[in-house]
Amino acid sequence: MEVRVDFHTHIIPEDLPDFAQRFGGDRWPVMERTCSCGANIMVGGKLFREITDQCWDPKRRIEDMARDGVDRQVLSPIPVTFSYWAPAEAAEAMARLQNDFIADTVRTYPDRFIGLGTVPLQDVESSIREMDRCIHELGLTGIEIGTNVNGQNLDAPDLLPFFEMCEKWEVPLFVHPWETLGRERMPRHNFMYTVGMPSETALAAASLTSGGVMEKFPGLKICFAHGGGSFPYILPRLDQGWSVWPHLRVTEQPPSYYAKNFYFDSLNYDPLNLMLLVERFGHDKIVMGTDYPFLLQEIPPGKVIRATAALTEEQKQAMLGANALEFLKATR
């Protein structure tokens, strides 16, 4: 029997402590309950996002999964909690809290959930220490990271020891946009979500390929959120840049050579876009992802995969579940 896996879902502890009181600073996410089944995430005293108990209650999630035909969800933190801007000690405390919560949820419902952890990426030593705990003590399956670290792209030299350990320990990474470039130009129309995030993800993927990270660590396992954003579309342009500006090259091969092993979730809303991913990277590199439980989520899960007529039934089944389990080395 085929297993349906939603690779891209977010979760947060219901009793998230007030880190602003503990550590100071006005950028910490703070939970303000609005009712028994809802809350506001506040940042700096302003509303960041309204959420429901779907974000913290595993039983509510399981009800939705039964309704939507999803067998397992991959749980990852909400990116606003990455807290790369904070002192390393404080960010590590935030990461440990979330990782413990996700691991407890997975242990309680091992047949329904798979867990990804988070690490304080602004301090690589702390990140490696917490990743070690996530993978080798808590039993989490991978790590979610942001697309930049305080404005530094993912090919920053300081991050290389982290990626080296990810390759050594065979830790899958899920790259999710956060702190998007050009935020000051995107307050209207929620462009941060519809334009900024896809562009930010493309910059992260381009940095890993053009910046030499994938060349140094070819065994890295990386999946990008939101279908890779605009990266699949601009990849030929990146190759052209590599070709015409040889003085800027830091890799032996063009970017597309190093992108061949990337994975992508299917959250791009359109069969035409999905087929671009399939034709450029292969159907075996696509995992179903919805962004549950937020407004931009795909409903029902796997809608675009099922609607893509050019895919075979075998390809659809792989993308709906088997590819995610293979990427994460998780059991059925």
Side-chain angles (χ1 to χ4, degrees), residues 7-38:
F7 187 91
H8 184 170
T9 80
H10 296 296
I11 195 167
I12 193 170
E14 179 181 9
D15 55 351
L16 185 72
D18 189 339
F19 275 67
Q21 288 188 350
R22 179 178 173 186
F23 293 105
D26 61 359
R27 296 182 63 182
W28 296 105
V30 177
M31 294 270 281
E32 290 187 358
R33 293 297 292 268
T34 56
C35 61
S36 61
C37 60

Side-chain angles (χ1 to χ4, degrees), residues 105-135:
T105 303
V106 172
R107 277 194 293 267
T108 304
Y109 304 96
D111 296 330
R112 307 314 302 269
F113 300 119
I114 300 169
L116 303 182
T118 181
V119 297
L121 208 53
Q122 67 270 52
D123 184 87
V124 169
E125 182 178 340
S126 300
S127 292
I128 293 172
R129 179 171 61 242
E130 183 59 14
M131 178 168 62
D132 187 10
R133 193 179 78 94
C134 284
I135 303 302

Side-chain angles (χ1 to χ4, degrees), residues 67-78:
R67 178 198 65 203
D68 294 335
V70 172
D71 298 299
R72 304 183 77 176
Q73 283 186 346
V74 180
L75 308 177
S76 58
I78 302 174

Side-chain angles (χ1 to χ4, degrees), residues 17-216:
D18 189 339
F19 275 67
Q21 288 188 350
R22 179 178 173 186
F23 293 105
D26 61 359
R27 296 182 63 182
W28 296 105
V30 177
M31 294 270 281
E32 290 187 358
R33 293 297 292 268
T34 56
C35 61
S36 61
C37 60
N40 291 333
I41 298 179
M42 309 295 291
V43 177
K46 297 180 180 180
L47 176 65
F48 173 77
R49 173 173 279 159
E50 298 176 1
I51 61 174
T52 70
D53 57 354
Q54 294 166 302
C55 277
W56 64 75
D57 185 349
K59 293 181 179 179
R60 174 71 189 279
R61 299 174 80 99
I62 290 171
E63 291 175 0
D64 290 346
M65 292 162 66
R67 178 198 65 203
D68 294 335
V70 172
D71 298 299
R72 304 183 77 176
Q73 283 186 346
V74 180
L75 308 177
S76 58
I78 302 174
V80 72
T81 64
F82 287 156
S83 307
Y84 296 158
W85 53 269
E89 178 186 359
E92 187 172 4
M94 171 67 85
R96 289 177 66 92
L97 174 83
Q98 295 188 93
N99 295 335
D100 288 343
F101 170 66
I102 292 174
D104 287 343
T105 303
V106 172
R107 277 194 293 267
T108 304
Y109 304 96
D111 296 330
R112 307 314 302 269
F113 300 119
I114 300 169
L116 303 182
T118 181
V119 297
L121 208 53
Q122 67 270 52
D123 184 87
V124 169
E125 182 178 340
S126 300
S127 292
I128 293 172
R129 179 171 61 242
E130 183 59 14
M131 178 168 62
D132 187 10
R133 193 179 78 94
C134 284
I135 303 302
H136 301 126
E137 295 181 26
L138 296 181
L140 298 178
T141 308
I143 299 293
E144 179 189 40
I145 66 172
T147 44
N148 72 86
V149 182
N150 300 323
Q152 282 194 315
N153 291 329
L154 293 183
D155 61 342
D158 291 349
L159 297 176
L160 292 179
F162 171 76
F163 289 121
E164 181 180 15
M165 294 310 297
C166 289
E167 182 185 54
K168 179 179 179 179
W169 290 337
E170 299 182 345
V171 178
L173 297 176
F174 180 42
V175 179
H176 194 292
W178 98 300
E179 293 292 313
T180 62
L181 72 167
R183 292 188 304 280
E184 68 282 356
R185 296 174 59 196
M186 301 187 189
R188 298 177 63 193
H189 315 296
N190 271 343
F191 276 161
M192 186 189 78
Y193 294 96
T194 57
V195 178
M197 284 190 169
S199 302
E200 177 70 24
T201 304
L203 182 55
S207 297
L208 291 171
T209 54
S210 299
V213 177
M214 299 306 298
E215 185 173 73
K216 289 183 177 69

